[in-house]
mmCIF file of all heavy atoms in Angstrom:
data_model
loop_
_atom_site.group_PDB
_atom_site.id
_atom_site.type_symbol
_atom_site.label_atom_id
_atom_site.label_comp_id
_atom_site.label_asym_id
_atom_site.label_seq_id
_atom_site.Cartn_x
_atom_site.Cartn_y
_atom_site.Cartn_z
ATOM 1 N N ILE T 809 87.266 123.819 61.353
ATOM 2 C CA ILE T 809 87.141 123.020 62.581
ATOM 3 C C ILE T 809 86.600 123.908 63.699
ATOM 4 O O ILE T 809 87.075 125.037 63.886
ATOM 5 C CB ILE T 809 88.508 122.463 63.041
ATOM 6 C CG1 ILE T 809 89.195 121.689 61.916
ATOM 7 C CG2 ILE T 809 88.359 121.589 64.283
ATOM 8 C CD1 ILE T 809 90.675 121.452 62.159
ATOM 9 N N ILE T 811 86.228 123.587 67.847
ATOM 10 C CA ILE T 811 86.632 122.805 69.022
ATOM 11 C C ILE T 811 85.844 123.302 70.218
ATOM 12 O O ILE T 811 85.791 124.509 70.475
ATOM 13 C CB ILE T 811 88.142 122.933 69.288
ATOM 14 C CG1 ILE T 811 88.940 122.378 68.106
ATOM 15 C CG2 ILE T 811 88.530 122.207 70.581
ATOM 16 C CD1 ILE T 811 90.445 122.607 68.211
ATOM 17 N N GLY T 815 90.360 124.350 77.489
ATOM 18 C CA GLY T 815 91.331 123.868 78.452
ATOM 19 C C GLY T 815 92.586 123.458 77.703
ATOM 20 O O GLY T 815 92.720 123.673 76.496
ATOM 21 N N ILE T 816 93.513 122.825 78.407
ATOM 22 C CA ILE T 816 94.804 122.537 77.776
ATOM 23 C C ILE T 816 94.675 121.526 76.639
ATOM 24 O O ILE T 816 95.426 121.586 75.657
ATOM 25 C CB ILE T 816 95.838 122.075 78.824
ATOM 26 C CG1 ILE T 816 97.257 122.235 78.259
ATOM 27 C CG2 ILE T 816 95.569 120.653 79.310
ATOM 28 C CD1 ILE T 816 98.340 122.244 79.292
ATOM 29 N N VAL T 817 93.686 120.620 76.702
ATOM 30 C CA VAL T 817 93.531 119.640 75.618
ATOM 31 C C VAL T 817 92.981 120.311 74.363
ATOM 32 O O VAL T 817 93.491 120.098 73.249
ATOM 33 C CB VAL T 817 92.643 118.464 76.063
ATOM 34 C CG1 VAL T 817 92.361 117.526 74.895
ATOM 35 C CG2 VAL T 817 93.314 117.687 77.195
ATOM 36 N N GLY T 818 91.956 121.134 74.521
ATOM 37 C CA GLY T 818 91.400 121.846 73.364
ATOM 38 C C GLY T 818 92.402 122.796 72.738
ATOM 39 O O GLY T 818 92.540 122.861 71.507
ATOM 40 N N LEU T 819 93.121 123.534 73.571
ATOM 41 C CA LEU T 819 94.127 124.479 73.061
ATOM 42 C C LEU T 819 95.274 123.743 72.380
ATOM 43 O O LEU T 819 95.746 124.155 71.318
ATOM 44 C CB LEU T 819 94.654 125.333 74.212
ATOM 45 C CG LEU T 819 93.648 126.308 74.849
ATOM 46 C CD1 LEU T 819 94.174 126.817 76.181
ATOM 47 C CD2 LEU T 819 93.346 127.473 73.909
ATOM 48 N N SER T 820 95.727 122.650 72.992
ATOM 49 C CA SER T 820 96.816 121.870 72.389
ATOM 50 C C SER T 820 96.400 121.275 71.058
ATOM 51 O O SER T 820 97.207 121.192 70.117
ATOM 52 C CB SER T 820 97.243 120.743 73.342
ATOM 53 O OG SER T 820 97.823 121.260 74.515
ATOM 54 N N THR T 821 95.137 120.867 70.958
ATOM 55 C CA THR T 821 94.631 120.301 69.704
ATOM 56 C C THR T 821 94.690 121.336 68.585
ATOM 57 O O THR T 821 95.194 121.061 67.479
ATOM 58 C CB THR T 821 93.198 119.789 69.898
ATOM 59 O OG1 THR T 821 93.207 118.728 70.858
ATOM 60 C CG2 THR T 821 92.605 119.290 68.591
ATOM 61 N N ALA T 822 94.176 122.525 68.854
ATOM 62 C CA ALA T 822 94.222 123.589 67.845
ATOM 63 C C ALA T 822 95.665 123.921 67.485
ATOM 64 O O ALA T 822 96.011 124.072 66.300
ATOM 65 C CB ALA T 822 93.500 124.825 68.366
ATOM 66 N N TYR T 823 96.522 124.037 68.475
ATOM 67 C CA TYR T 823 97.933 124.369 68.244
ATOM 68 C C TYR T 823 98.601 123.327 67.356
ATOM 69 O O TYR T 823 99.315 123.675 66.396
ATOM 70 C CB TYR T 823 98.647 124.459 69.599
ATOM 71 C CG TYR T 823 100.142 124.624 69.507
ATOM 72 C CD1 TYR T 823 100.708 125.875 69.276
ATOM 73 C CD2 TYR T 823 100.995 123.525 69.646
ATOM 74 C CE1 TYR T 823 102.091 126.031 69.191
ATOM 75 C CE2 TYR T 823 102.362 123.672 69.564
ATOM 76 C CZ TYR T 823 102.913 124.919 69.332
ATOM 77 O OH TYR T 823 104.282 125.071 69.243
ATOM 78 N N GLN T 824 98.366 122.032 67.643
ATOM 79 C CA GLN T 824 99.029 120.980 66.884
ATOM 80 C C GLN T 824 98.480 120.866 65.468
ATOM 81 O O GLN T 824 99.235 120.582 64.527
ATOM 82 C CB GLN T 824 98.898 119.633 67.613
ATOM 83 C CG GLN T 824 99.633 119.564 68.958
ATOM 84 C CD GLN T 824 101.147 119.503 68.805
ATOM 85 O OE1 GLN T 824 101.723 120.019 67.847
ATOM 86 N NE2 GLN T 824 101.804 118.896 69.770
ATOM 87 N N ILE T 825 97.182 121.098 65.277
ATOM 88 C CA ILE T 825 96.639 121.105 63.920
ATOM 89 C C ILE T 825 97.253 122.240 63.111
ATOM 90 O O ILE T 825 97.636 122.070 61.946
ATOM 91 C CB ILE T 825 95.097 121.210 63.948
ATOM 92 C CG1 ILE T 825 94.480 119.933 64.528
ATOM 93 C CG2 ILE T 825 94.544 121.441 62.529
ATOM 94 C CD1 ILE T 825 92.978 120.018 64.777
ATOM 95 N N LEU T 826 97.386 123.405 63.739
ATOM 96 C CA LEU T 826 97.957 124.561 63.043
ATOM 97 C C LEU T 826 99.447 124.389 62.753
ATOM 98 O O LEU T 826 99.970 124.975 61.804
ATOM 99 C CB LEU T 826 97.710 125.832 63.858
ATOM 100 C CG LEU T 826 96.248 126.288 63.918
ATOM 101 C CD1 LEU T 826 96.057 127.347 64.986
ATOM 102 C CD2 LEU T 826 95.785 126.814 62.555
ATOM 103 N N GLU T 827 100.136 123.575 63.550
ATOM 104 C CA GLU T 827 101.534 123.267 63.256
ATOM 105 C C GLU T 827 101.644 122.497 61.944
ATOM 106 O O GLU T 827 102.605 122.655 61.202
ATOM 107 C CB GLU T 827 102.143 122.434 64.398
ATOM 108 C CG GLU T 827 102.446 123.213 65.657
ATOM 109 C CD GLU T 827 103.633 124.144 65.485
ATOM 110 O OE1 GLU T 827 104.775 123.646 65.483
ATOM 111 O OE2 GLU T 827 103.423 125.362 65.337
ATOM 112 N N ILE T 828 100.634 121.653 61.672
ATOM 113 C CA ILE T 828 100.631 120.839 60.455
ATOM 114 C C ILE T 828 99.971 121.581 59.294
ATOM 115 O O ILE T 828 100.431 121.525 58.160
ATOM 116 C CB ILE T 828 99.892 119.509 60.709
ATOM 117 C CG1 ILE T 828 100.567 118.719 61.842
ATOM 118 C CG2 ILE T 828 99.849 118.652 59.441
ATOM 119 C CD1 ILE T 828 99.746 117.568 62.359
ATOM 120 N N MET T 829 98.869 122.294 59.623
ATOM 121 C CA MET T 829 98.077 122.991 58.604
ATOM 122 C C MET T 829 97.890 124.450 59.034
ATOM 123 O O MET T 829 96.843 124.815 59.572
ATOM 124 C CB MET T 829 96.711 122.317 58.439
ATOM 125 C CG MET T 829 96.789 120.849 58.052
ATOM 126 S SD MET T 829 95.137 120.076 58.039
ATOM 127 C CE MET T 829 94.344 121.012 56.724
ATOM 128 N N ILE T 834 90.310 127.663 62.406
ATOM 129 C CA ILE T 834 89.832 126.967 63.600
ATOM 130 C C ILE T 834 89.166 127.960 64.542
ATOM 131 O O ILE T 834 89.653 129.081 64.732
ATOM 132 C CB ILE T 834 91.000 126.266 64.326
ATOM 133 C CG1 ILE T 834 91.661 125.239 63.401
ATOM 134 C CG2 ILE T 834 90.512 125.578 65.604
ATOM 135 C CD1 ILE T 834 92.897 124.598 63.990
ATOM 136 N N TYR T 866 97.490 104.047 76.493
ATOM 137 C CA TYR T 866 97.408 105.383 75.900
ATOM 138 C C TYR T 866 97.958 106.415 76.882
ATOM 139 O O TYR T 866 98.664 107.342 76.492
ATOM 140 C CB TYR T 866 95.947 105.667 75.541
ATOM 141 C CG TYR T 866 95.740 106.861 74.643
ATOM 142 C CD1 TYR T 866 96.084 106.827 73.299
ATOM 143 C CD2 TYR T 866 95.184 108.038 75.141
ATOM 144 C CE1 TYR T 866 95.896 107.923 72.479
ATOM 145 C CE2 TYR T 866 94.991 109.142 74.335
ATOM 146 C CZ TYR T 866 95.349 109.081 73.009
ATOM 147 O OH TYR T 866 95.163 110.173 72.204
ATOM 148 N N LYS T 869 101.941 106.203 76.898
ATOM 149 C CA LYS T 869 102.544 106.741 75.675
ATOM 150 C C LYS T 869 102.414 108.257 75.605
ATOM 151 O O LYS T 869 103.371 108.964 75.293
ATOM 152 C CB LYS T 869 101.884 106.105 74.452
ATOM 153 C CG LYS T 869 102.202 104.632 74.269
ATOM 154 C CD LYS T 869 101.427 104.058 73.081
ATOM 155 C CE LYS T 869 101.694 102.574 72.904
ATOM 156 N NZ LYS T 869 100.879 102.003 71.806
ATOM 157 N N ASN T 870 101.220 108.759 75.899
ATOM 158 C CA ASN T 870 100.992 110.197 75.766
ATOM 159 C C ASN T 870 101.624 110.998 76.887
ATOM 160 O O ASN T 870 102.028 112.135 76.680
ATOM 161 C CB ASN T 870 99.500 110.485 75.668
ATOM 162 C CG ASN T 870 98.986 110.278 74.262
ATOM 163 O OD1 ASN T 870 99.115 111.134 73.408
ATOM 164 N ND2 ASN T 870 98.436 109.101 74.011
ATOM 165 N N CYS T 871 101.712 110.421 78.074
ATOM 166 C CA CYS T 871 102.373 111.143 79.164
ATOM 167 C C CYS T 871 103.850 111.337 78.850
ATOM 168 O O CYS T 871 104.383 112.439 78.995
ATOM 169 C CB CYS T 871 102.207 110.389 80.478
ATOM 170 S SG CYS T 871 102.910 111.279 81.888
ATOM 171 N N GLN T 873 105.472 111.129 75.868
ATOM 172 C CA GLN T 873 105.668 112.025 74.724
ATOM 173 C C GLN T 873 105.255 113.449 75.083
ATOM 174 O O GLN T 873 105.936 114.417 74.706
ATOM 175 C CB GLN T 873 104.868 111.543 73.520
ATOM 176 C CG GLN T 873 105.111 112.408 72.282
ATOM 177 C CD GLN T 873 104.260 112.004 71.097
ATOM 178 O OE1 GLN T 873 103.050 111.840 71.224
ATOM 179 N NE2 GLN T 873 104.887 111.845 69.943
ATOM 180 N N GLY T 874 104.149 113.575 75.827
ATOM 181 C CA GLY T 874 103.673 114.903 76.217
ATOM 182 C C GLY T 874 104.668 115.628 77.104
ATOM 183 O O GLY T 874 104.861 116.845 76.977
ATOM 184 N N TYR T 875 105.299 114.895 78.000
ATOM 185 C CA TYR T 875 106.333 115.464 78.871
ATOM 186 C C TYR T 875 107.463 116.056 78.038
ATOM 187 O O TYR T 875 107.924 117.179 78.281
ATOM 188 C CB TYR T 875 106.832 114.353 79.794
ATOM 189 C CG TYR T 875 108.020 114.703 80.652
ATOM 190 C CD1 TYR T 875 107.851 115.249 81.922
ATOM 191 C CD2 TYR T 875 109.322 114.463 80.213
ATOM 192 C CE1 TYR T 875 108.953 115.549 82.728
ATOM 193 C CE2 TYR T 875 110.420 114.757 80.998
ATOM 194 C CZ TYR T 875 110.229 115.300 82.252
ATOM 195 O OH TYR T 875 111.317 115.611 83.042
ATOM 196 N N LEU T 877 107.363 116.964 74.825
ATOM 197 C CA LEU T 877 106.861 118.100 74.053
ATOM 198 C C LEU T 877 106.666 119.331 74.935
ATOM 199 O O LEU T 877 106.916 120.467 74.506
ATOM 200 C CB LEU T 877 105.540 117.734 73.379
ATOM 201 C CG LEU T 877 105.607 116.697 72.254
ATOM 202 C CD1 LEU T 877 104.207 116.301 71.815
ATOM 203 C CD2 LEU T 877 106.414 117.236 71.066
ATOM 204 N N LEU T 878 106.239 119.100 76.175
ATOM 205 C CA LEU T 878 106.030 120.210 77.111
ATOM 206 C C LEU T 878 107.348 120.910 77.423
ATOM 207 O O LEU T 878 107.427 122.152 77.424
ATOM 208 C CB LEU T 878 105.381 119.669 78.393
ATOM 209 C CG LEU T 878 105.076 120.678 79.501
ATOM 210 C CD1 LEU T 878 104.099 121.744 79.031
ATOM 211 C CD2 LEU T 878 104.510 119.945 80.734
ATOM 212 N N LEU T 960 99.604 129.021 74.553
ATOM 213 C CA LEU T 960 98.953 128.311 73.452
ATOM 214 C C LEU T 960 97.904 129.203 72.795
ATOM 215 O O LEU T 960 97.798 129.254 71.560
ATOM 216 C CB LEU T 960 98.304 127.024 73.967
ATOM 217 C CG LEU T 960 99.256 125.879 74.323
ATOM 218 C CD1 LEU T 960 98.504 124.788 75.078
ATOM 219 C CD2 LEU T 960 99.926 125.293 73.082
ATOM 220 N N ILE T 964 97.886 130.316 68.867
ATOM 221 C CA ILE T 964 96.722 130.003 68.020
ATOM 222 C C ILE T 964 96.205 131.280 67.348
ATOM 223 O O ILE T 964 95.945 131.310 66.140
ATOM 224 C CB ILE T 964 95.614 129.339 68.870
ATOM 225 C CG1 ILE T 964 96.058 127.929 69.289
ATOM 226 C CG2 ILE T 964 94.287 129.280 68.101
ATOM 227 C CD1 ILE T 964 95.248 127.360 70.441
ATOM 228 N N PHE T 1001 84.139 120.239 60.511
ATOM 229 C CA PHE T 1001 84.593 119.187 61.436
ATOM 230 C C PHE T 1001 84.424 119.690 62.862
ATOM 231 O O PHE T 1001 84.631 120.876 63.143
ATOM 232 C CB PHE T 1001 86.063 118.857 61.164
ATOM 233 C CG PHE T 1001 86.492 117.495 61.622
ATOM 234 C CD1 PHE T 1001 86.518 116.436 60.732
ATOM 235 C CD2 PHE T 1001 86.872 117.261 62.935
ATOM 236 C CE1 PHE T 1001 86.923 115.162 61.149
ATOM 237 C CE2 PHE T 1001 87.271 116.008 63.359
ATOM 238 C CZ PHE T 1001 87.301 114.945 62.468
ATOM 239 N N ILE T 1003 85.352 118.942 67.049
ATOM 240 C CA ILE T 1003 86.172 118.224 68.029
ATOM 241 C C ILE T 1003 85.721 118.626 69.433
ATOM 242 O O ILE T 1003 85.688 119.810 69.771
ATOM 243 C CB ILE T 1003 87.670 118.522 67.841
ATOM 244 C CG1 ILE T 1003 88.118 118.125 66.428
ATOM 245 C CG2 ILE T 1003 88.496 117.774 68.883
ATOM 246 C CD1 ILE T 1003 89.565 118.476 66.112
ATOM 247 N N ASN T 1004 85.398 117.635 70.227
ATOM 248 C CA ASN T 1004 84.886 117.847 71.581
ATOM 249 C C ASN T 1004 86.006 117.634 72.593
ATOM 250 O O ASN T 1004 86.469 116.518 72.811
ATOM 251 C CB ASN T 1004 83.724 116.870 71.815
ATOM 252 C CG ASN T 1004 83.240 116.845 73.261
ATOM 253 O OD1 ASN T 1004 83.578 117.700 74.062
ATOM 254 N ND2 ASN T 1004 82.430 115.846 73.573
ATOM 255 N N CYS T 1005 86.447 118.730 73.216
ATOM 256 C CA CYS T 1005 87.451 118.679 74.297
ATOM 257 C C CYS T 1005 86.891 119.400 75.521
ATOM 258 O O CYS T 1005 87.566 120.217 76.149
ATOM 259 C CB CYS T 1005 88.759 119.331 73.855
ATOM 260 S SG CYS T 1005 89.551 118.567 72.430
ATOM 261 N N PHE T 1166 92.482 107.096 78.659
ATOM 262 C CA PHE T 1166 91.787 108.095 77.859
ATOM 263 C C PHE T 1166 90.703 107.426 77.011
ATOM 264 O O PHE T 1166 90.873 106.289 76.553
ATOM 265 C CB PHE T 1166 92.771 108.839 76.962
ATOM 266 C CG PHE T 1166 93.793 109.634 77.725
ATOM 267 C CD1 PHE T 1166 95.113 109.224 77.769
ATOM 268 C CD2 PHE T 1166 93.429 110.785 78.401
ATOM 269 C CE1 PHE T 1166 96.058 109.949 78.483
ATOM 270 C CE2 PHE T 1166 94.368 111.517 79.110
ATOM 271 C CZ PHE T 1166 95.678 111.101 79.155
ATOM 272 N N ALA T 1168 88.469 108.125 73.592
ATOM 273 C CA ALA T 1168 88.266 108.947 72.400
ATOM 274 C C ALA T 1168 87.278 108.237 71.481
ATOM 275 O O ALA T 1168 87.403 107.034 71.236
ATOM 276 C CB ALA T 1168 89.590 109.166 71.670
ATOM 277 N N ILE T 1175 85.381 114.141 66.477
ATOM 278 C CA ILE T 1175 86.232 113.454 67.458
ATOM 279 C C ILE T 1175 85.797 113.939 68.836
ATOM 280 O O ILE T 1175 85.701 115.148 69.075
ATOM 281 C CB ILE T 1175 87.726 113.758 67.238
ATOM 282 C CG1 ILE T 1175 88.192 113.276 65.862
ATOM 283 C CG2 ILE T 1175 88.571 113.106 68.336
ATOM 284 C CD1 ILE T 1175 89.596 113.732 65.493
ATOM 285 N N ILE T 1177 86.766 113.646 72.853
ATOM 286 C CA ILE T 1177 87.664 113.218 73.925
ATOM 287 C C ILE T 1177 86.837 113.251 75.211
ATOM 288 O O ILE T 1177 86.603 114.310 75.791
ATOM 289 C CB ILE T 1177 88.891 114.132 74.036
ATOM 290 C CG1 ILE T 1177 89.617 114.222 72.682
ATOM 291 C CG2 ILE T 1177 89.830 113.631 75.128
ATOM 292 C CD1 ILE T 1177 90.068 112.893 72.122
ATOM 293 N N ALA T 1180 89.815 112.438 79.806
ATOM 294 C CA ALA T 1180 91.198 112.918 79.751
ATOM 295 C C ALA T 1180 91.660 113.225 81.170
ATOM 296 O O ALA T 1180 91.873 114.372 81.545
ATOM 297 C CB ALA T 1180 91.310 114.160 78.872
ATOM 298 N N PRO T 1183 97.314 112.045 83.566
ATOM 299 C CA PRO T 1183 98.153 113.233 83.414
ATOM 300 C C PRO T 1183 97.837 114.056 82.166
ATOM 301 O O PRO T 1183 98.746 114.377 81.384
ATOM 302 C CB PRO T 1183 99.538 112.620 83.301
ATOM 303 C CG PRO T 1183 99.278 111.364 82.477
ATOM 304 C CD PRO T 1183 97.922 110.870 82.907
ATOM 305 N N ALA T 1184 96.587 114.417 81.958
ATOM 306 C CA ALA T 1184 96.205 115.122 80.724
ATOM 307 C C ALA T 1184 96.919 116.462 80.569
ATOM 308 O O ALA T 1184 97.195 116.882 79.444
ATOM 309 C CB ALA T 1184 94.698 115.318 80.678
ATOM 310 N N ALA T 1185 97.202 117.143 81.683
ATOM 311 C CA ALA T 1185 97.904 118.427 81.555
ATOM 312 C C ALA T 1185 99.319 118.207 81.026
ATOM 313 O O ALA T 1185 99.755 118.855 80.067
ATOM 314 C CB ALA T 1185 97.935 119.152 82.896
ATOM 315 N N THR T 1186 100.042 117.260 81.635
ATOM 316 C CA THR T 1186 101.379 116.922 81.150
ATOM 317 C C THR T 1186 101.329 116.417 79.711
ATOM 318 O O THR T 1186 102.172 116.761 78.882
ATOM 319 C CB THR T 1186 102.014 115.831 82.037
ATOM 320 O OG1 THR T 1186 102.052 116.284 83.385
ATOM 321 C CG2 THR T 1186 103.424 115.494 81.562
ATOM 322 N N ALA T 1187 100.317 115.591 79.429
ATOM 323 C CA ALA T 1187 100.215 114.933 78.124
ATOM 324 C C ALA T 1187 99.510 115.785 77.082
ATOM 325 O O ALA T 1187 99.355 115.342 75.939
ATOM 326 C CB ALA T 1187 99.477 113.608 78.286
ATOM 327 N N GLY T 1188 99.087 116.999 77.440
ATOM 328 C CA GLY T 1188 98.229 117.801 76.572
ATOM 329 C C GLY T 1188 98.724 117.955 75.144
ATOM 330 O O GLY T 1188 97.967 117.759 74.190
ATOM 331 N N LEU T 1189 99.991 118.292 74.977
ATOM 332 C CA LEU T 1189 100.517 118.507 73.628
ATOM 333 C C LEU T 1189 100.575 117.208 72.839
ATOM 334 O O LEU T 1189 100.403 117.202 71.617
ATOM 335 C CB LEU T 1189 101.898 119.157 73.697
ATOM 336 C CG LEU T 1189 101.889 120.647 74.081
ATOM 337 C CD1 LEU T 1189 103.267 121.102 74.514
ATOM 338 C CD2 LEU T 1189 101.379 121.496 72.921
ATOM 339 N N SER T 1190 100.800 116.090 73.523
ATOM 340 C CA SER T 1190 100.796 114.800 72.849
ATOM 341 C C SER T 1190 99.378 114.383 72.465
ATOM 342 O O SER T 1190 99.150 113.864 71.364
ATOM 343 C CB SER T 1190 101.431 113.733 73.751
ATOM 344 O OG SER T 1190 101.417 112.474 73.120
ATOM 345 N N ILE T 1191 98.432 114.603 73.374
ATOM 346 C CA ILE T 1191 97.032 114.298 73.050
ATOM 347 C C ILE T 1191 96.592 115.152 71.865
ATOM 348 O O ILE T 1191 95.942 114.667 70.938
ATOM 349 C CB ILE T 1191 96.122 114.557 74.270
ATOM 350 C CG1 ILE T 1191 96.500 113.639 75.425
ATOM 351 C CG2 ILE T 1191 94.648 114.339 73.906
ATOM 352 C CD1 ILE T 1191 95.834 114.002 76.737
ATOM 353 N N GLY T 1192 96.951 116.431 71.891
ATOM 354 C CA GLY T 1192 96.624 117.316 70.776
ATOM 355 C C GLY T 1192 97.219 116.838 69.466
ATOM 356 O O GLY T 1192 96.578 116.905 68.409
ATOM 357 N N LYS T 1193 98.445 116.325 69.532
ATOM 358 C CA LYS T 1193 99.105 115.810 68.322
ATOM 359 C C LYS T 1193 98.388 114.573 67.796
ATOM 360 O O LYS T 1193 98.214 114.403 66.583
ATOM 361 C CB LYS T 1193 100.569 115.491 68.643
ATOM 362 C CG LYS T 1193 101.438 115.277 67.422
ATOM 363 C CD LYS T 1193 102.911 115.218 67.843
ATOM 364 C CE LYS T 1193 103.810 115.192 66.621
ATOM 365 N NZ LYS T 1193 105.240 115.218 67.017
ATOM 366 N N GLN T 1194 97.948 113.699 68.716
ATOM 367 C CA GLN T 1194 97.206 112.508 68.310
ATOM 368 C C GLN T 1194 95.884 112.886 67.652
ATOM 369 O O GLN T 1194 95.499 112.333 66.615
ATOM 370 C CB GLN T 1194 96.937 111.618 69.526
ATOM 371 C CG GLN T 1194 96.087 110.393 69.243
ATOM 372 C CD GLN T 1194 96.779 109.406 68.338
ATOM 373 O OE1 GLN T 1194 97.640 108.650 68.780
ATOM 374 N NE2 GLN T 1194 96.430 109.386 67.060
ATOM 375 N N ILE T 1195 95.189 113.863 68.249
ATOM 376 C CA ILE T 1195 93.919 114.315 67.665
ATOM 377 C C ILE T 1195 94.165 114.937 66.289
ATOM 378 O O ILE T 1195 93.384 114.725 65.354
ATOM 379 C CB ILE T 1195 93.214 115.308 68.608
ATOM 380 C CG1 ILE T 1195 92.851 114.628 69.924
ATOM 381 C CG2 ILE T 1195 91.946 115.871 67.949
ATOM 382 C CD1 ILE T 1195 92.389 115.587 71.017
ATOM 383 N N ALA T 1196 95.243 115.699 66.162
ATOM 384 C CA ALA T 1196 95.579 116.296 64.865
ATOM 385 C C ALA T 1196 95.799 115.218 63.809
ATOM 386 O O ALA T 1196 95.329 115.345 62.668
ATOM 387 C CB ALA T 1196 96.824 117.171 64.997
ATOM 388 N N ASN T 1197 96.475 114.142 64.184
ATOM 389 C CA ASN T 1197 96.705 113.044 63.244
ATOM 390 C C ASN T 1197 95.395 112.352 62.884
ATOM 391 O O ASN T 1197 95.179 111.971 61.723
ATOM 392 C CB ASN T 1197 97.699 112.042 63.831
ATOM 393 C CG ASN T 1197 99.113 112.595 63.882
ATOM 394 O OD1 ASN T 1197 99.474 113.460 63.094
ATOM 395 N ND2 ASN T 1197 99.908 112.104 64.819
ATOM 396 N N TRP T 1198 94.507 112.165 63.875
ATOM 397 C CA TRP T 1198 93.196 111.586 63.590
ATOM 398 C C TRP T 1198 92.424 112.469 62.621
ATOM 399 O O TRP T 1198 91.771 111.982 61.706
ATOM 400 C CB TRP T 1198 92.409 111.400 64.875
ATOM 401 C CG TRP T 1198 92.862 110.253 65.729
ATOM 402 C CD1 TRP T 1198 93.554 109.155 65.335
ATOM 403 C CD2 TRP T 1198 92.650 110.121 67.132
ATOM 404 N NE1 TRP T 1198 93.792 108.326 66.407
ATOM 405 C CE2 TRP T 1198 93.243 108.882 67.524
ATOM 406 C CE3 TRP T 1198 92.036 110.899 68.108
ATOM 407 C CZ2 TRP T 1198 93.215 108.434 68.842
ATOM 408 C CZ3 TRP T 1198 92.005 110.452 69.418
ATOM 409 C CH2 TRP T 1198 92.591 109.231 69.780
ATOM 410 N N TYR T 1199 92.507 113.778 62.856
ATOM 411 C CA TYR T 1199 91.817 114.713 61.973
ATOM 412 C C TYR T 1199 92.309 114.565 60.530
ATOM 413 O O TYR T 1199 91.507 114.532 59.578
ATOM 414 C CB TYR T 1199 92.003 116.152 62.460
ATOM 415 C CG TYR T 1199 91.533 117.193 61.469
ATOM 416 C CD1 TYR T 1199 90.185 117.382 61.221
ATOM 417 C CD2 TYR T 1199 92.474 117.947 60.761
ATOM 418 C CE1 TYR T 1199 89.768 118.330 60.287
ATOM 419 C CE2 TYR T 1199 92.060 118.887 59.841
ATOM 420 C CZ TYR T 1199 90.700 119.077 59.598
ATOM 421 O OH TYR T 1199 90.280 120.012 58.663
ATOM 422 N N LEU T 1200 93.620 114.480 60.351
ATOM 423 C CA LEU T 1200 94.175 114.343 59.013
ATOM 424 C C LEU T 1200 93.704 113.046 58.346
ATOM 425 O O LEU T 1200 93.426 113.013 57.154
ATOM 426 C CB LEU T 1200 95.697 114.355 59.068
ATOM 427 C CG LEU T 1200 96.351 115.707 59.400
ATOM 428 C CD1 LEU T 1200 97.859 115.539 59.523
ATOM 429 C CD2 LEU T 1200 96.020 116.752 58.347
#
Side-chain angles (χ1 to χ4, degrees):
I809 306 164
I811 298 173
I816 199 161
V817 174
L819 293 165
S820 294
T821 297
Y823 173 81
Q824 294 288 29
I825 292 172
L826 291 167
E827 285 288 284
I828 301 167
M829 302 174 64
I834 300 175
Y866 193 73
K869 291 176 182 177
N870 278 278
C871 184
Q873 183 184 49
Y875 173 90
L877 291 172
L878 180 61
L960 287 168
I964 290 163
F1001 203 96
I1003 301 176
N1004 171 13
C1005 300
F1166 296 108
I1175 298 171
I1177 305 302
T1186 303
L1189 286 164
S1190 179
I1191 297 169
K1193 194 170 188 177
Q1194 176 66 79
I1195 297 169
N1197 289 333
W1198 285 337
Y1199 170 71
L1200 289 176

